[in-house]
Amino acid sequence: MPNASADRPLRVAIVGAGPAGVYAADILTKSNEVKGGHVEVSIDLFDQYPAPYGLIRYGVAPDHPRIKGIVNALHKVLDRGDIRFIGNVTYGRDVTLSDLRHFYDAVIFATGAIKDAKLDIPGADLEGSFGGADFVSWYDGHPDVSRDWPLEAKEVAVIGNGNVALDVARMLSKHADDLLVTEIPDNVYQTLKRSPVTDVHVFGRRGPAQVKFTPLELRELSHSRDVDIVLYPEDFEFDEASDEAIRTNNQVKTMVNTLANWIAEDQDTGASRRLHLHFLHSPVEIYDSPETPGKVAGVRFERMELDGTGNVRGTGEFEDYPVQAVYRAIGYHGSELAELEYDVHRGVIPNDGGRVLDAEGTPVAGVYTTGWIKRGPVGLIGHTKGDALETIGCLLEDRDSLPEAENPDESAIINLLEERGVEYTTWEGWNELDAHEKALGEKFTAESAERGASVQRERVKVVPREEMVRISRRNAG
């Protein structure tokens, strides 16, 4: 058994190289057991994409001000050299759980949640009704998403009151030229540039004191050039629970004050685009019209009212909003993983504190989970550190009883991937791709200066998977 007296490192595979996976690897390497010399570890971090960072690269709006800081922190962890990154490896196709258990003493799944949660109302599948997560993947240059996106609507509804909903609304309403300072790919810029949008409406079921976005996301809305924020006084309803939240929660107080100030200041400047924030609206139907059968023509909402506890109830009053596109941004949902149990309702791997459970609810020896696939897609990125700490604690508690890998040699998994013809990428390969994307940014900046535009771009994201792999592997072996 691999334990404190073993003559080799504890071999650990982590599936998913986003924040959850990187945090788990980092916490394990910094644990008292490892720092104290009681346990030696050897960690391989797998990802289905050729590049690391997961949600940070493919799930957060490119103009988000915190992205750079989070990427820098993750980069420092992986650049130390004590965690091996192996990218472009798809779990369930290129490697199986049986494979991983042959080469590793423990396997941690940190695959996150990338699918849209279902909005179960009539018309949700009409043409022009889109998943917010799908749109995020498109504008973030996800390698497995179509390069095209039908931005044809002048009036758009975004359903949801979380950070993703605000990201989607901001990206839809923002002028494309103002996104050139980010890393958006050229196909995204060109499509956004042609967008005829004039009005983006964001709808939430509850009141202003119950929204799920953060003050940072809210304030970002006011930074968009030539975009007016439109609010509706009739949507500002507060009950006893709302008043209590405002008194006791600084975040809620900040957001409510910000919204109230916007109403008082009157944000109507005559801008060419408007971003409307609606509260106390519950969607009941996405409808088409005789003129455009099968296509989105609008959304019907029931007006809601607060019930005294911060929750809402229907009023029986309905309102129709004519729009030509709807973005459903009500949350994410995890995906099923081969050879593991799956809770289809919560979209998670059943687990007890990070220990993966089988169909009978018994822990599967040596198999763990962390992040959104462990607890569901709630909370901010930083919350995954607490998840990882709990999971790593369980793994270290179990270390004396883990099923021993049959072939723990670090080269064995590489040999298997090569035998199967998997074009895996490495940390060195990511540095190649990173440098290439930064060079594209420098080239754009120089060409912009020649035209007198002076647009500073730090990088331009490479989109095609084949190109990412080619660049990452061009100096390999």
Side-chain angles (χ1 to χ4, degrees), residues 310-389:
N311 292 314
V312 292
R313 60 193 170 210
T315 64
E317 299 176 6
F318 297 88
E319 295 182 55
D320 289 353
Y321 289 82
V323 296
Q324 301 83 52
V326 175
Y327 288 78
R328 310 178 308 274
I330 60 172
Y332 286 89
H333 200 74
S335 301
E336 187 171 0
L337 294 166
E339 300 182 74
L340 296 174
E341 290 299 312
Y342 177 67
D343 184 333
V344 66
H345 299 292
R346 297 180 57 218
V348 300
I349 300 171
N351 68 93
D352 181 8
R355 294 183 176 97
V356 169
L357 304 176
D358 63 17
E360 285 71 44
T362 303
V364 180
V367 184
Y368 303 85
T369 184
T370 190
W372 279 4
I373 197 62
K374 169 188 174 183
R375 62 182 168 89
V378 292
L380 302 176
I381 290 171
H383 291 117
T384 58
K385 289 184 178 180
D387 280 339
L389 191 63

Side-chain angles (χ1 to χ4, degrees), residues 176-225:
D177 284 349
D178 295 335
L179 290 164
L180 279 175
V181 295
T182 74
E183 60 185 30
I184 62 167
D186 186 62
N187 67 292
V188 175
Y189 167 72
Q190 296 296 342
T191 304
L192 290 172
K193 182 78 171 174
R194 296 190 296 269
S195 172
V197 70
T198 58
D199 292 84
V200 177
H201 299 262
V202 183
F203 296 93
R205 288 184 68 251
R206 299 203 288 172
Q210 288 81 37
V211 294
K212 296 298 184 182
F213 44 74
T214 61
L216 176 64
E217 295 284 350
L218 182 62
R219 285 194 296 267
E220 282 183 59
L221 296 183
S222 64
H223 298 161
S224 295
R225 178 185 61 85

